């Protein structure tokens, strides 16, 4: 509860409420106070004691908090109920409706200076922004939520901080996303703030950026920490998200069956929680696992299901990312024209500031398709565009592979020196994955 309003504001409120109820100053004062005291209070010339305010609130038939702050007694509870409903709406995929509900709560919370409810509404709006791909707006909401929680302990601020990091990650700013997540992890672990939910959220979120930067060892370690924390976490949605992130690390280590099993656990949890976006992401990752294992028909089915689920809730950025994976499967199944058409459609939704990694992946695959069609000029153009996007994002692992493709193309067309330059660039990114872009690892939790 915030501090009570100033005496002038309280005096006006008492006068208004007394008049609405048809009470005289004498009736309001009896039996403990005098009419003169009520008159002085209503004029704002005295700061009433808690005892006097409780007496007046009882005579007026309202709650003490409502008298001292002007907030309806049940407002905070009602707003929390609205927030729960908005979160459930977002979980079922109706992002626009959820955003409207969060915005309505935000207006009331700001009007009545309810900091906790305001922060929760801003977090919800940030998650809606991530779902729709409006990363700038999402980041703004997360930043406002962090400011609203500035005086709270770090574990309470982690969801807002993690949301901001995710917006940077999805925009292709991998190193900054990792910096934000690692800094929070380091502060939590070194400071003894071993909140399982906060740590699990951070470790699960940092796996993706680590993988894209080629820091596979750190990704594997983060996955192990996340798995160890999962039994302590109180939020099943976090456990489900962790299983989905860990599956990516297992896959990188060639542990296909374990990755699939982890995804199955996540899917079951999300199905139970009715979190449609995360469930769609599980189908997405499962399709990726199947593609890596050569099960292309099943991979296509899983990816199409993920895309349909994401399209239904207008998660534009995630939908584009899934489309790139689907195009790769279509190309491998011999349907290159269909894959190319899908990739060109995707590129209209992506940019260096919005989905840079998947824009690079789209250009890389278009380059491969062009090479297969013996259009070396178009292939080189796509590879160069992909290279530019990946360099800006600092995605070391993908850069090394792309430099190999570009080098091979240049060598086949007789440009040996240019090919050597491309190979050298790739080798530079292959050296000690992760160490060229990341500093010391954050402190470890006491598991």
């Amino acid at each position: 509860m915030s501090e009570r309003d100033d005496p002038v504001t309280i005096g006006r409120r008492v006068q208004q409420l007394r008049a609405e109820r048809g009470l005289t100053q004498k009736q309001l004062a009896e039996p403990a106070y005098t009419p003169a005291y009520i008159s002085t209070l209503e004029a704002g010339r005295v700061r009433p004691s808690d005892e006097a305010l409780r007496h007046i609130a009882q005579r007026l038939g309202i709650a003490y908090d409502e008298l001292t702050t002007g907030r309806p007694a049940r407002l905070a509870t009602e707003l929390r109920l609205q927030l729960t409903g908005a979160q459930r709406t977002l979980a079922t995929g109706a992002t626009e409706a959820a955003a409207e509900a969060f915005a309505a709560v935000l207006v009331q919370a700001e009007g009545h200076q309810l900091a906790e409810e305001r922060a929760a509404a801003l977090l919800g709006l940030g998650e809606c922004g991530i779902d729709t791909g409006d990363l700038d707006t999402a980041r703004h909401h997360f930043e406002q939520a962090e400011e609203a929680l500035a005086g709270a302990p770090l574990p309470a601020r982690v969801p807002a901080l993690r949301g901001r990091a995710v917006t940077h990650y999805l925009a292709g700013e991998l190193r900054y996303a990792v910096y934000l997540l690692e800094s929070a992890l380091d502060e939590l672990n070194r400071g003894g703030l071993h909140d399982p939910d906060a740590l699990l959220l951070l470790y699960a979120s940092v796996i993706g950026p680590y993988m894209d930067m080629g820091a596979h060892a750190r990704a594997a370690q983060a996955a192990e920490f996340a798995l160890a924390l999962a039994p302590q976490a109180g939020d099943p949605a976090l456990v489900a998200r962790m299983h989905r992130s860990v599956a990516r690390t297992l896959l990188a280590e060639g542990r296909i069956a374990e990755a699939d099993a982890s995804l199955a656990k996540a899917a079951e949890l999300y199905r139970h929680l009715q979190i449609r976006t995360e469930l769609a992401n599980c189908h997405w990752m499962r399709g990726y696992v199947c593609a890596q294992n050569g099960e292309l028909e099943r991979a296509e089915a899983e990816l199409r299901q993920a895309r349909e689920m994401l399209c239904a809730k207008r998660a534009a950025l995630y939908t584009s990312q899934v489309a790139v994976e689907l195009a790769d499967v279509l190309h491998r199944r011999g349907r290159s024209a269909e894959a190319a058409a899908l990739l060109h459609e995707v590129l209209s939704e992506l940019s260096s500031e919005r989905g840079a990694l998947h824009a690079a992946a789209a250009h890389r695959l278009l380059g491969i398709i062009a090479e297969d069609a013996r259009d070396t000029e178009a292939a080189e153009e796509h590879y160069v565009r992909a290279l530019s996007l990946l360099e800006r994002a600092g995605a070391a692992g993908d850069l090394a592979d792309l430099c190999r493709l570009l080098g091979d193309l240049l060598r086949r067309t007789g440009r040996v020196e240019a090919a050597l330059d491309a190979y050298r660039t790739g080798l530079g990114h292959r050296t000690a994955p992760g160490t060229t872009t990341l500093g010391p690892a954050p402190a470890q939790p006491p598991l």
Side-chain angles (χ1 to χ4, degrees):
M1 182 184 72
S2 65
E3 293 183 2
R4 68 168 70 167
D5 288 331
D6 62 89
V8 173
T9 302
I10 291 178
R12 290 173 183 164
R13 187 176 298 134
V14 169
Q15 184 180 39
Q16 179 182 351
L17 291 169
R18 178 179 61 78
E20 288 175 356
R21 286 156 177 74
L23 298 174
T24 65
Q25 290 180 337
K26 181 180 179 182
Q27 289 172 322
L28 187 60
E30 292 177 339
Y33 299 93
T34 66
Y37 176 75
I38 297 299
S39 176
T40 304
L41 186 154
E42 290 183 348
R45 295 196 298 268
V46 63
R47 183 175 181 84
S49 65
D50 285 347
E51 184 180 358
L53 288 173
R54 292 188 189 282
H55 166 81
I56 293 169
Q58 184 179 23
R59 298 290 289 171
L60 292 170
I62 64 172
Y64 168 81
D65 287 349
E66 184 173 353
L67 179 61
T68 58
T69 66
R71 301 172 194 145
R74 296 180 56 191
L75 178 64
T77 302
E78 289 173 355
L79 289 184
R80 284 193 286 273
L81 285 172
Q82 291 177 40
L83 283 167
T84 303
Q87 288 157 356
R88 183 178 178 83
T89 301
L90 179 60
T92 57
T95 307
E96 286 187 2
E100 290 176 3
F102 283 124
V105 172
L106 180 61
V107 169
Q108 293 189 70
E110 288 182 336
H112 292 282
Q113 299 180 335
L114 292 168
E116 186 177 339
E117 288 71 21
R118 176 175 179 267
L122 288 166
L123 277 172
L125 287 169
E127 293 295 339
C128 290
I130 286 179
D131 273 6
T132 59
D134 189 353
L135 300 181
D136 289 338
T137 300
R139 185 178 304 131
H140 178 64
H141 287 312
F142 287 129
E143 288 171 349
Q144 286 186 304
E146 281 189 88
E147 291 173 6
L149 297 168
L154 179 57
R157 291 183 276 119
V158 160
L161 187 150
R162 172 259 174 194
R164 185 158 61 92
V166 169
T167 64
H168 286 290
Y169 169 50
L170 292 174
E173 301 164 18
L174 304 185
R175 278 170 285 189
Y176 188 61
V178 167
Y179 164 75
L180 291 173
L181 296 167
E182 284 193 341
S183 296
L185 282 166
D186 205 41
E187 187 175 346
L188 283 171
N189 289 325
R190 290 190 187 280
L193 302 171
H194 303 124
D195 182 280
D197 284 354
L199 287 170
L200 179 56
L201 184 60
L202 292 169
Y203 280 121
S205 299
V206 82
I207 290 173
Y210 277 159
M211 292 292 290
D212 288 336
M213 292 179 73
H216 297 152
R218 286 204 189 179
Q221 186 181 53
E224 292 300 327
F225 290 155
L227 284 168
L229 287 162
Q232 305 173 48
D235 187 347
L238 289 182
V239 178
R241 180 181 292 156
M242 177 275 299
H243 277 299
R244 183 166 57 85
S245 297
V246 165
R248 190 174 182 185
T249 302
L250 295 172
L251 182 63
E253 296 176 353
R255 295 152 67 181
I256 305 294
E258 291 175 67
D260 207 334
S262 196
L263 289 170
K265 291 177 184 176
E268 184 59 34
L269 282 165
Y270 286 133
R271 190 174 292 110
H272 176 70
L273 293 164
Q274 295 184 307
I275 301 178
R276 190 174 179 83
T277 300
E278 300 291 0
L279 181 57
N281 287 339
C282 286
H283 285 292
W284 173 7
M285 277 299 294
R286 182 173 285 169
Y288 184 69
V289 169
C290 292
Q292 296 301 305
N293 206 28
E295 303 173 53
L296 299 183
E297 184 175 353
R298 185 184 169 200
E300 181 180 347
E302 294 282 0
L303 291 170
R304 286 195 183 280
Q305 183 169 356
R307 192 164 182 246
E308 285 176 13
M309 293 172 73
L310 291 168
C311 281
K313 68 184 299 299
R314 300 182 184 179
L317 186 54
Y318 288 134
T319 304
S320 297
Q321 293 174 336
V322 171
V324 175
E325 304 286 358
L326 177 58
D328 180 60
V329 170
L330 293 173
H331 169 63
R332 291 169 62 186
R333 297 195 72 186
R335 291 145 63 186
S336 296
E338 186 179 349
L342 182 56
L343 291 168
H344 283 297
E345 177 185 336
V346 163
L347 283 172
S348 66
E349 301 289 335
L350 302 172
S351 68
S352 59
E353 289 78 29
R354 185 173 178 274
L357 292 174
H358 285 75
H363 280 297
R364 174 189 176 278
L365 185 51
L366 283 169
I368 292 172
I369 292 172
E371 271 205 87
D372 290 346
R374 302 186 185 281
D375 187 349
T376 56
E377 185 177 340
E380 182 178 348
E381 181 181 345
H382 284 299
Y383 289 152
V384 169
R385 288 187 181 183
L387 185 63
S388 174
L389 289 165
L390 292 175
E391 283 182 329
R392 291 181 61 180
D398 291 340
L399 264 169
D401 175 65
L402 186 64
C403 287
R404 177 188 60 79
L405 288 171
L406 179 58
D408 289 349
L409 175 64
L410 294 170
R411 181 171 53 82
R412 282 195 297 271
T413 55
R415 288 169 286 173
V416 177
E417 287 300 322
L420 287 171
D421 286 341
Y423 290 140
R424 290 189 192 101
T425 301
L427 286 170
H429 288 290
R430 270 297 184 204
T431 304
T435 58
T436 57
T437 52
L438 299 173
Q444 298 182 10
L447 300 174

